[in-house]
Amino acid sequence: MALTRFMEPGAPIMKEKCGTLLIAERGCELAQGLTAWLTEQGHRLKAVNNVKDLLMTLQSEKINVLVMDVRLPEELGYEAISIIKGLHRKLPIIITADENNPEQESRIRQQGIFYYHVNSFGTDDLILAISNAMVRSSQ
């Protein structure tokens, strides 16, 4: 027996916005860990492992949220965030780090990122941050 949902006349239909998440990391551990959740949410995943591919992808595709490992920018360092912000001022950027270094976190937060995530805290906070960033990018 099929279930039918009745709605009030004129009630808005809430549709989840599907977006594209770009993960920039060496290796693919985070991307593999988030694949099932992203698929379940209807989001697309793109993964790159260097700054050149990151910048090329940002220029050629519509990306809703960027998750970038703090170690990825190689020789660019924190300037990579400024370059990315120059390309896409409103792009929510989530930075991941293996260790909680308050000085590094402070310098990165000054670049106007969306969220700073310490990997040892687990993925629940990261998933929540990605969800919130997807909502923000769709507005």
Side-chain angles (χ1 to χ4, degrees), residues 71-92:
R71 296 168 298 166
L72 184 73
E74 294 116 13
E75 67 278 350
L76 290 176
Y78 303 122
E79 290 179 26
I81 298 170
S82 295
I83 293 168
I84 294 164
K85 285 290 190 179
L87 291 171
H88 296 284
R89 190 172 58 85
K90 293 185 177 186
L91 177 69

Side-chain angles (χ1 to χ4, degrees), residues 13 41 43 50 100 119 139:
I13 297 173
Q41 299 302 309
H43 300 305
N50 61 65
N100 191 8
N119 293 330
Q139 294 176 345

Side-chain angles (χ1 to χ4, degrees), residues 1-2 7 21 23 34 41 62 66 69 76 79 94 97 100 103 107 110 136 138:
M1 177 176 191
M7 296 182 61
L21 174 71
I23 296 180
L34 292 176
Q41 299 302 309
K62 167 74 170 130
L66 169 63
D69 187 311
L76 290 176
E79 290 179 26
I94 297 171
N100 191 8
E103 182 181 313
R107 282 187 284 172
Q110 289 173 5
R136 176 195 259 187
S138 68

Side-chain angles (χ1 to χ4, degrees), residues 21 23 25 27-39 45 47 122-124 126-127 130:
L21 174 71
I23 296 180
E25 65 175 336
C28 57
E29 187 176 323
L30 181 59
Q32 287 177 342
L34 292 176
T35 299
W37 175 78
L38 288 165
T39 302
L45 171 65
T123 58
D124 289 347
L126 179 59
I127 286 172
I130 293 169

